[in-house]
Structure formats: structure tokens, C-alpha cells
Amino acid sequence: MDATTTVSSDDDSVDQQIARHYDERPYASEAFSYSSPAQIRAAARLYGISAPAPHRARVLEVGCAAGGNILPFALAYPEAEVIGVDLSPVQIEQGRQVLERLGVTNMTLQAMSLTDIGPEFGKFDYIIAHGVFSWVPPAVRDALVRLCQTHLTEDGVAYISYNTYPGWKAGDIVRDAITLHSHGAKTANERMESARAVVRMFQDGMAAANPLRGGMATVLNQLDTLPDYYLEHEYLEGFNAPCYLVEFADLAMRNGMSYLGDAYASLESAANYGQNVQLNLSLIAIGQPKLMRQQYLDFLVGQNFRRSLLVHQRRHEEILVQPDFSQATHLRAAAIFTKTEPPANGAVQPGMQWLYDTEGTLLSTDDTVILQVVDVLSQAWPRSVPIADLASRTGLPEAEVKKAWLRLAEWGRLLLVQDPTPYDDVELDAAPTLIPGAVALLDSNARTGVEHVALANLWHCTVRWRPNAMQAWVMQQIDGKRNVTALARLLCEAWQRGKVSGPNGESLVGQRNLDATAQRAVKALLETLRRLALRLC
């Protein structure tokens, strides 16, 4: 049986059930930065593998929902071809409406099972399946990996994410209890009420002597902050089958594919988990192959989620045992860091600075070279910077800059790409220009009051920001031709004529001497748009 056939009539009914659940409560369609083909290409380089350039790549996303994960790539690379498939007709139609509003012509969405993808689809340079593998029947998991083998170009790379043991063991207990309590529930709302009741039961009634209390508390605290659609599809679906890394890699091998590494390469570096982990892993993993080494590391750190990259088995000998972060010096990096106050309960050390990185993860360091590198990257954002430029901008010896660069790369604090990005193709002194689709998507989400597709920048990062009325109006005037002065002049006129409210929502009709206020408002908005990477320049 090949990937062009449906698995069985029973699996057809399973597909229909899965589709119905996603139709009833659609999953938020958002972007995940490490599933971007441009960043997958850079990650593959760290493992010793060359991958196709993104600019004209053919990309397939399986389980695309409304297309929010792959849309930023389609917008960034208009000469690429992007296809998304999903079981849910409701989410596919929502995505199609978004594509039509945005005028996207290089991306298509189809409501179908991955088992129905046949030879007519052709070959793809990148195949992406985020949030699919663990949540489908075993036969479909096999079909997904076979799909990669049959539809991936010779030098292509596949990305498959999945829940991983041992970290998901605590989640299994919570899921088992939720499944038991929701048995017999007839509607999505009834299932959700049952699930939330179980979460409260564990939170309020777990015995202090429960030996699994610590691990389960982490899961329960996370569920408190996550929306209903996550709980529905992660804990209430008929299928959620975490596996060990070696089990996933074995399935890949049996289907002609080789495990390359994690798209988040820092996850595979033992040095990131402390000297104790690094030392003990090196002792037990002496002479062990790559997969066993990584499996032991998963045991030591309690890994619960992976974003695995696969290549054709013929390339197996090219794959490095560990990610080689020295390769990052041949790549381009981008990041933005925001200074913050030290934790209230933390000891304050002289020279130590606390910063949030691009993904919102806290970083603390007193390394002056790293701090200078961080500052230059933040000033250049959202543009990417090669290491030679970074050295010249800091004025520091290249060897010192290289060391700091490599540490940041190994810690996972940099967005890495091999090629210049759309942000790099725009002249620095050009008039302000927004990324494609930003205004149309924000306007669509605001008018409908429903966010079928979340806003994301061209770095493939979801943007959780909504402009106020004044900001939205100014964004509509940003056309790549008007400079700050021209935009401020238009804003003054709009205020005086009552077309838009003032910075605090007040009316400024008929008021004079608003030039300085308008300049400040436009500059502040442009800085916000830069930090969110919604500006090309």
C-alpha cells in the first residue's frame, strides 16, 4: 500500500471523526518559527546537510489548519510554491478566504487526508507536519513518513513534530483521567467542562504524598494558561500517542528516511543543560551512535516535545553526530533583545543584565562581548547580519565576536538563516514599508472579530499585538513612498477633520499645533512595527 490510497474504510470513519472535532473547535492557526523552510535549511547546515534554497522551493504542509503556519513563508517568498492540506473543510475554507483577502497566489489549500496525496502532487523540497504525528492513528503515522519518502526531493528535508517520552508521562496520567471523566459527554462543551473539572480536581485535591505530584503540577499549571482548543485536541482527542525518539527514528528508517536532528538544534546540545548532565551523558554514551546519545539526553532532561528533521536514507553518512555550531559562523543571524529587571528573588550580581530574547525567553549574562553583540543585533533587527558585519559594527576582534556568536547560537538565542531575507533586500534609507499582508490580515481579523489565521512576521514568529484605531489608520497610509514627515502630516489632517481619534482615543477636531505630537506618534508606531518585524524597513 502506498501513500496514494486511503488506509481502510475504518480509517475513513476515523478521519471523519477527527475532522468533525476540528470543525467544531478549530485549532488556532499560528506560525512556529522553527518550521519555516528558511530556518530548517539553516538547522540542516548545523548537522552537515545542505538543503534547497527557500526562494523557489516547493513546500507541502500536512495538517495545515487554516494555513497560518506556512502563510508567512508564502508571503516572504512569492516565487515559492506552497500547498497545505488538512482534514477539516471548515478550517480550509477559512484559510482560503484569508488568502483571497490578502491576494496570495502562490499558496493553495485543500481539504483532504494525507493518505490521498498521490503522484500528481509531485515532489517537494520541504514537507512540514507540525502537530500531526502524535494525533493520528498508527497507520496514518506510517503513511506520513512514507509520504516524506515518496514526495521529498533528493536533497529535501522533512519536519515532523510530536509529543515525546519521557516528558509526556505525566501528561498521560492527566489525559487518562480526563478521558475517563469525559466518557459519555455528547458535545464539545460537555467534554470541555469535564476536562476542566478534572484539572481542578488535580490542582485542589492531589495528595501531598503523591510521588508524581511535581511532574503533574507542571502539566496542570500549563493547562491553566492555555485555551480550550488546546485542551480539546491535546487531551480529548481519540489519538495522542507520544513516543520515544528512538521509536520515531526506527519508523523513519523502516520507511527509507534518516533522522537528521531537531529543528531546534540547541535541544540536542548537552552543554545547555549543565555540566552534570554533560559529564554523565558523555560517560554513558561513549561509543554510542547519535540516536542513542540523544535518547539518553531526553531521559536526563525529561524531553516532552520534538521537532524532528528527516532526510533520505542515502544521505545518512553525511549527518553529523552532534550539531556543529561552528557552522553558524557561515550563516546569518537575527535577534532582538529587551532589557528587563532581575527576578525579585534572584541575587543581583555586578554587571549582570537580564534580557528577553526574540522568543520571550529570559537571558542573563555579564559577558560584555555578548552584551555588545546582543545590542548590535537588536539595532539591526529585523534584518539579518553575517558575522563579518557584526565584528565591524562592534569594533571588537573577530575572534571574540565569533565566540559570543557561537555561544548565543548554541543557547538557541538566534534566528539563523543561510540566505538574505526579504528584510535584507530593502534599502536602509527607504521610506517605511510594511511586510506583505499585515494590514489586510489585521483589518480582516478586526472586522470579523475572529482570528482564523494569526498575524505573523516574515521570521515566522506569531505577533500577539493589535493596533489601536489611530495606529491602524497610520498603517494604512504606509506605502513605501511616504516618509515620517509625510505620514505625520497626514495624521495631523486626519485628527483635525475627525477621521481618527488621538493617541489616547480623544477627539482632536479643529486643534492646532499638532505637528510635534503627530511626529512622536508616527515614530513610536514605526518603532513598535520594527520590533514586531512588521516593517520591512
Side-chain angles (χ1 to χ4, degrees):
M1 181 173 57
D2 61 27
T4 66
T5 59
T6 39
V7 178
S8 72
S9 58
D10 289 341
D11 285 299
D12 284 344
S13 63
V14 169
D15 282 354
Q16 292 167 8
Q17 180 183 355
I18 294 172
R20 186 175 68 254
H21 285 174
Y22 280 88
D23 286 347
E24 290 173 353
R25 200 186 297 275
Y27 208 95
S29 198
E30 300 179 347
F32 301 91
S33 63
Y34 291 100
S35 67
S36 161
Q39 293 182 64
I40 290 173
R41 187 186 192 210
R45 175 73 179 264
L46 300 180
Y47 296 106
I49 292 290
S50 62
H55 300 79
R56 294 181 179 85
R58 293 195 78 233
V59 180
L60 170 68
E61 180 171 26
V62 177
C64 66
N69 182 42
I70 201 63
L71 176 60
F73 177 79
L75 291 170
Y77 300 100
E79 294 184 50
E81 181 184 358
V82 179
I83 298 175
V85 301
D86 196 276
L87 277 176
S88 169
V90 169
Q91 292 187 104
I92 289 294
E93 180 55 30
Q94 291 169 349
R96 286 173 175 169
Q97 291 176 12
V98 170
L99 295 182
E100 184 177 354
R101 293 190 194 106
L102 270 58
V104 178
T105 59
N106 65 329
M107 177 174 168
T108 57
L109 300 175
Q110 300 188 38
M112 63 187 297
S113 170
L114 69 91
T115 59
D116 292 327
I117 296 174
E120 69 278 5
F121 276 71
K123 301 276 188 177
F124 296 90
D125 298 303
Y126 294 93
I127 296 176
I128 299 165
H130 186 82
V132 176
F133 185 83
S134 293
W135 301 268
V136 292
V140 181
R141 290 198 288 274
D142 289 348
L144 173 58
V145 180
R146 285 199 306 276
L147 173 69
C148 297
Q149 200 280 328
T150 57
H151 285 76
L152 201 62
T153 58
E154 286 299 303
D155 295 326
V157 180
Y159 166 109
I160 300 178
S161 68
Y162 50 98
N163 288 336
T164 310
Y165 289 139
W168 236 87
K169 291 289 187 179
D172 273 348
I173 298 171
V174 176
R175 186 173 185 272
D176 288 345
I178 287 175
T179 301
L180 177 66
H181 192 57
S182 63
H183 179 71
K186 294 181 174 57
T187 67
N189 286 337
E190 288 177 358
R191 291 197 301 272
M192 187 52 54
E193 288 173 4
S194 297
R196 292 294 181 191
V198 169
V199 171
R200 290 192 297 271
M201 176 192 75
F202 276 121
Q203 288 174 328
D204 299 335
M206 198 164 14
N210 186 331
L212 302 175
R213 181 185 179 96
M216 292 174 64
T218 300
V219 174
L220 297 164
N221 290 338
Q222 182 189 41
L223 290 180
D224 249 0
T225 65
L226 294 170
D228 285 351
Y229 67 76
Y230 178 89
L231 187 55
E232 169 85 23
H233 300 303
E234 193 79 357
Y235 287 85
L236 284 163
E237 290 293 350
F239 296 95
N240 186 342
C243 65
Y244 287 103
L245 171 62
V246 290
E247 294 174 317
F248 175 83
D250 179 66
L251 175 61
M253 182 185 66
R254 286 188 277 112
N255 284 281
M257 304 298 291
S258 284
Y259 175 76
L260 175 59
D262 202 274
Y264 185 55
S266 298
L267 182 148
E268 300 212 344
S269 174
N272 287 329
Y273 302 101
Q275 291 184 351
N276 186 52
V277 170
Q278 187 176 18
L279 174 61
N280 283 279
L281 178 66
S282 65
L283 291 174
I284 198 170
I286 291 176
Q288 295 282 1
K290 172 187 177 76
L291 272 171
M292 289 301 294
R293 179 184 179 86
Q294 289 304 319
Q295 184 60 75
Y296 285 133
L297 183 59
D298 280 8
F299 281 127
L300 291 173
V301 303
Q303 196 60 247
N304 67 354
F305 191 73
R306 274 193 169 271
R307 312 161 190 82
S308 290
L309 303 180
L310 301 177
V311 294
H312 284 294
Q313 215 161 69
R314 67 169 184 80
R315 308 190 74 184
H316 183 78
E317 296 303 319
E318 301 174 45
I319 301 171
L320 300 178
V321 174
Q322 298 179 67
D324 178 9
F325 287 97
S326 70
Q327 290 296 314
T329 59
H330 303 293
L331 302 174
R332 302 174 68 94
I336 185 166
F337 294 81
T338 305
K339 292 182 181 180
T340 187
E341 295 298 318
N345 58 349
V348 178
Q349 301 177 26
M352 183 71 70
Q353 289 194 26
W354 298 82
L355 313 100
Y356 285 109
D357 66 13
T358 314
E359 299 288 339
T361 305
L362 200 59
L363 165 70
S364 63
T365 182
D366 60 357
D367 187 309
T368 57
V369 178
I370 288 179
L371 290 171
Q372 288 186 65
V373 168
V374 159
D375 188 53
V376 170
L377 287 170
S378 298
Q379 290 177 35
W381 175 263
R383 301 171 74 90
S384 64
V385 182
I387 194 166
D389 287 3
L390 197 59
S392 64
R393 294 185 195 187
T394 58
L396 296 169
E398 186 166 328
E400 292 186 23
V401 172
K402 181 179 179 180
K403 182 179 178 182
W405 172 292
L406 293 179
R407 289 179 70 186
L408 287 167
E410 188 167 10
W411 292 342
R413 303 310 179 107
L414 303 177
L415 297 173
L416 297 172
V417 288
Q418 191 164 333
D419 315 276
T421 72
Y423 296 106
D424 304 311
D425 294 336
V426 182
E427 295 293 333
L428 280 171
D429 57 354
T433 306
L434 301 182
I435 66 171
V439 171
L441 187 54
L442 281 169
D443 181 61
S444 174
N445 290 344
R447 283 190 293 105
T448 62
V450 180
E451 191 178 84
H452 295 310
V453 173
L455 178 66
N457 58 40
L458 301 188
W459 278 109
H460 228 79
C461 300
T462 297
V463 176
R464 306 189 188 283
W465 172 79
R466 296 294 171 266
N468 59 33
M470 182 199 74
Q471 292 170 328
W473 187 90
V474 174
M475 289 176 69
Q476 291 172 351
Q477 317 310 313
I478 299 176
D479 59 1
K481 299 177 182 178
R482 299 184 175 105
N483 59 20
V484 173
T485 301
L487 291 169
R489 187 182 306 117
L490 285 175
L491 182 56
C492 277
E493 294 173 359
W495 280 342
Q496 291 168 339
R497 294 177 182 178
K499 289 183 179 180
V500 67
S501 57
N504 300 311
E506 73 278 25
S507 172
L508 298 176
V509 174
Q511 292 194 27
R512 298 175 178 273
N513 302 320
L514 294 172
D515 292 5
T517 303
Q519 285 268 352
R520 286 194 298 271
V522 169
K523 288 180 179 180
L525 173 60
L526 291 176
E527 175 59 16
T528 296
L529 294 172
R530 182 188 76 85
R531 297 188 68 84
L532 297 172
L534 297 180
R535 278 179 61 189
L536 282 174
C537 66

